[in-house]
Amino acid sequence: MITKRMEKALNAQINKEFYSAYLYLSISAYCNKLGMPGCEHWFRIQHDEEIIHMTKMFDYVMQHGGEARLFKIDEPPADFGSVLGAFEASQKHERFITESINELLNVAVEEKDHATQVFLQWFITEQVEEEANVKEIVDRLKMVGDNGGALMMIDDKLSQRSPPAPATANV
Ligand code: FEO
């Protein structure tokens, strides 16, 4: 059974995961506008991953005796200035989410909630991977600058991203 404080913190994170999905769907539309189908595909999968994150947390709250709550989702930006700007927006957002997950873990420790601490380990590991993935792309985009051929090659590579594995059972 999770405490009311833990429930409130997890519900706030559910909203942030929904916003993440919304943001990445918006970026995928922006990439479509730029004519970069590989980037569009990459962000579409990123959106799908965020829905999985949200669902894992939503289910966890209910499985542990809490009340899952859904709040209003903020409107994401629609223009990111450039494809590099789009990935930098994603990088900035993932850093924010990492801080948010770390803060959730702090709450779980303070509440002496061992089950939630174990549950959150998956998200801690996931954030390391998410930050590393987006950093690699940002670094490459910075390296190629305005080189159209190199940008096309990056776009082609991003088109090969596989869909996420379905959500697995929670602890
Ligand atoms: Fe749910 Fe991209 O963090």
Side-chain angles (χ1 to χ4, degrees), residues 44-57:
R44 195 61 183 254
I45 288 183
Q46 195 68 9
H47 157 273
D48 296 346
E49 285 206 349
E50 299 303 345
I51 293 294
I52 288 173
H53 298 173
M54 178 281 298
T55 307
K56 277 176 100 74
M57 217 162 262

Side-chain angles (χ1 to χ4, degrees), residues 15-162:
N15 184 264
K16 287 177 192 168
E17 299 295 341
F18 255 128
Y19 177 78
S20 303
Y22 226 38
L23 174 65
Y24 294 142
L25 200 56
S26 181
I27 298 180
S28 78
Y30 176 72
C31 292
N32 174 281
K33 203 166 74 175
L34 290 182
M36 300 194 76
C39 294
E40 177 187 351
H41 169 78
W42 194 92
F43 277 108
R44 195 61 183 254
I45 288 183
Q46 195 68 9
H47 157 273
D48 296 346
E49 285 206 349
E50 299 303 345
I51 293 294
I52 288 173
H53 298 173
M54 178 281 298
T55 307
K56 277 176 100 74
M57 217 162 262
F58 181 78
D59 288 343
Y60 178 83
V61 170
M62 293 188 294
Q63 284 165 1
H64 288 262
E67 183 187 355
R69 297 282 310 277
L70 299 177
F71 306 117
K72 183 178 164 188
I73 306 165
D74 289 339
E75 180 181 330
D79 188 350
F80 300 88
S82 65
V83 67
L84 174 60
F87 278 94
E88 283 178 331
S90 167
Q91 185 173 41
K92 185 175 171 203
H93 184 68
E94 286 306 327
R95 287 176 177 158
F96 164 73
I97 292 293
T98 297
E99 277 177 30
S100 183
I101 296 285
N102 289 342
E103 189 47 43
L104 262 184
L105 184 57
N106 290 342
V107 173
V109 169
E110 285 166 21
E111 294 295 297
K112 298 183 172 57
D113 183 342
H114 297 276
T116 302
Q117 289 174 46
V118 172
F119 171 69
L120 289 172
Q121 290 305 323
W122 184 90
F123 286 86
I124 300 272
T125 307
E126 179 74 0
Q127 283 310 119
V128 172
E129 192 185 310
E130 294 232 328
E131 283 203 39
N133 288 345
V134 76
K135 180 183 183 306
E136 187 184 326
I137 300 167
V138 165
D139 289 349
R140 283 187 189 184
L141 287 171
K142 281 181 177 167
M143 214 182 296
V144 305
D146 290 333
N147 182 326
L151 281 172
M152 273 181 69
M153 280 176 67
I154 291 175
D155 193 59
D156 186 54
K157 181 158 170 44
L158 296 181
S159 73
Q160 295 162 22
R161 185 176 184 185
S162 307

